[in-house]
Amino acid sequence: MMTNSTKSKLDPAGTRYSALALTAPVAMGYIPLGTVFGFLFVQAGGDGWLAVLASLFVFAGAAQYMMIPMIAAGSSAGTIALATLIVNLRHAFYGLSLLDRLPRAGWLRWYLVFGLTDETYSVLTTMPESTSLRQMAWVALLNHAWWVTGTAIGATIGARAQVPLAGLDFVLAALFAVLAVEQWRTRMSPAPLWIALAAYGVAYSLAPTHALVIAIVLSTAAGIVWQARSATAATEARDD
Amino acid sequence: MIDSGYALGVIAAMGLVTFGLRALPFVAAEWLKRHPMVPRLGRFLPLAIMTILLLHSIAGAASAHAAGPGPELLAAALVMLLQWWRRNALLSILTGTVVYVLSRNLGWL
């Protein structure tokens, strides 16, 4: 399955080498953060092989961190699936900007789509337009490998030592903080952040236990109104 | 112990939802392109949802002790400042988490 055979014939080894270089910064993050996931999962009472399986088949850091306390508390699969939907909703928008870059159907493209994490997406968007599907798939595969490797290391450590430190799960909040800053940086408009702050404040004062879902509904509604107004303003400006 | 059969079900559900979200633009491109609201929500929702998730996990962590959300807010602010300044996710996450874990375990509260 080669969509760009001339390019891969020219330098198959070079393809791997540059993908390796491109994913090196991701490895610096994925291996230690995967280690923390594997460690926390095993400490919460899960088998190590299940942690590795989760990293192999889910491959979504924030959702995997979020799942640990939920699975330890015995939440239903449906509840965890809904939480995953909320945490990973942003990924539905990543593909929109890659539609033209991944034109052909085939298992290589579907693997790339599966591996479209925040980090893989940001590496792909820095690669030139001419990059072959094969080369992009290498980036996804290597990132996937770093994440699974880290998880296996963490699961092994976690199975050997009990660490009774309170607050280690703050790593999820920290990951959300990092993702928020990166979203802020790419959009260069902090309005969604202020709207979300207000929405969460209202939702929390109404019903703390359902604050998450209420806040998302409120800020989505506010976002639609806010955008409808700015779109109207843009249309009016064009008409003038 | 977490039951393995239950965990497998959870992992399968999470994997399907995550793949479904990542694949959505590729299977529904025509439909999505016909709705101008989609790209606009794409500009708005990721930051809004991340902010809400951050606030929600801060609220969750703060409810585990009696000292109020001070340590969580401080550690989150540290993470955001570091990320803005150095743009190194690992550095930001580990520094914030270490500061938070220390504040929870060394009796700074």
Side-chain angles (χ1 to χ4, degrees):
Chain A
M1 176 62 63
M2 265 186 242
T3 49
N4 202 336
S5 50
T6 26
K7 193 161 248 151
S8 7
K9 258 182 227 153
L10 276 175
D11 190 9
T15 299
R16 247 158 304 188
Y17 175 75
S18 61
L20 197 63
L22 276 169
T23 65
V26 180
M28 301 290 286
Y30 270 17
I31 294 175
L33 293 174
T35 303
V36 174
F37 168 73
F39 180 84
L40 289 176
F41 188 88
V42 171
Q43 295 277 305
D47 283 337
W49 65 273
L50 285 168
V52 174
L53 214 63
S55 288
L56 211 50
F57 289 108
V58 182
F59 193 25
Q64 285 179 237
Y65 279 133
M66 173 218 64
M67 159 264 267
I68 297 172
M70 297 185 84
I71 207 171
S75 308
S76 74
T79 309
I80 300 179
L82 180 67
T84 305
L85 186 79
I86 293 169
V87 171
N88 285 341
L89 190 63
R90 66 189 186 286
H91 290 160
F93 298 106
Y94 287 175
L96 280 178
S97 61
L98 290 175
L99 279 176
D100 303 330
R101 306 274 311 264
L102 306 173
R104 291 197 202 180
W107 69 269
L108 210 54
R109 180 176 91 159
W110 290 116
Y111 175 71
L112 246 171
V113 169
F114 160 80
L116 213 50
T117 62
D118 300 288
E119 288 74 12
T120 302
Y121 175 73
S122 57
V123 172
L124 291 184
T125 52
T126 60
M127 294 171 93
E129 292 280 335
S130 60
T131 310
S132 68
L133 188 62
R134 201 181 161 77
Q135 200 158 0
M136 292 193 274
W138 268 111
V139 168
L141 180 69
L142 286 168
N143 286 346
H144 197 187
W146 306 140
W147 180 244
V148 172
T149 305
T151 305
I153 296 170
T156 312
I157 300 171
R160 279 163 220 281
Q162 276 292 325
V163 180
L165 277 178
L168 262 183
D169 51 358
F170 190 77
V171 69
L172 177 60
L175 183 54
F176 288 147
V178 163
L179 291 170
V181 168
E182 287 308 311
Q183 293 290 348
W184 188 351
R185 199 196 293 271
T186 50
R187 309 292 165 212
M188 270 340 221
S189 162
L193 183 130
W194 301 122
I195 291 174
L197 268 174
Y200 193 81
V202 170
Y204 195 83
S205 62
L206 286 175
T209 45
H210 302 293
L212 181 66
V213 173
I214 298 175
I216 287 172
V217 171
L218 281 178
S219 62
T220 305
I224 289 170
V225 173
W226 173 68
Q227 283 163 348
R229 277 183 52 203
S230 51
T232 317
T235 319
E236 277 163 8
R238 232 178 291 129
D239 290 346
D240 284 346
Chain B
M1 273 314 277
I2 293 168
D3 178 70
S4 296
Y6 158 66
L8 283 175
V10 169
I11 291 168
M14 291 180 72
L16 283 174
V17 168
T18 305
F19 180 71
L21 285 170
R22 288 174 184 167
L24 186 66
F26 297 93
V27 293
E30 292 310 309
W31 184 84
L32 290 171
K33 279 177 178 165
R34 263 186 278 124
H35 290 75
M37 189 62 87
V38 173
R40 281 192 269 127
L41 278 180
R43 282 194 290 274
F44 181 86
L45 275 185
L47 176 55
I49 289 182
M50 264 326 123
T51 307
I52 291 167
L53 287 171
L54 172 63
L55 292 168
H56 195 65
S57 43
I58 285 175
S63 66
H65 57 80
E72 286 80 15
L73 289 172
L74 208 74
L78 178 67
V79 173
M80 294 183 87
L81 282 175
L82 271 176
Q83 182 63 21
W84 200 272
W85 177 42
R86 300 300 300 267
R87 232 185 158 179
N88 179 336
L90 180 67
L91 176 80
S92 318
I93 291 171
L94 288 192
T95 309
T97 306
V98 166
V99 166
Y100 181 74
V101 168
L102 287 177
S103 77
R104 285 288 307 276
N105 293 276
L106 293 182
W108 293 357
L109 296 182

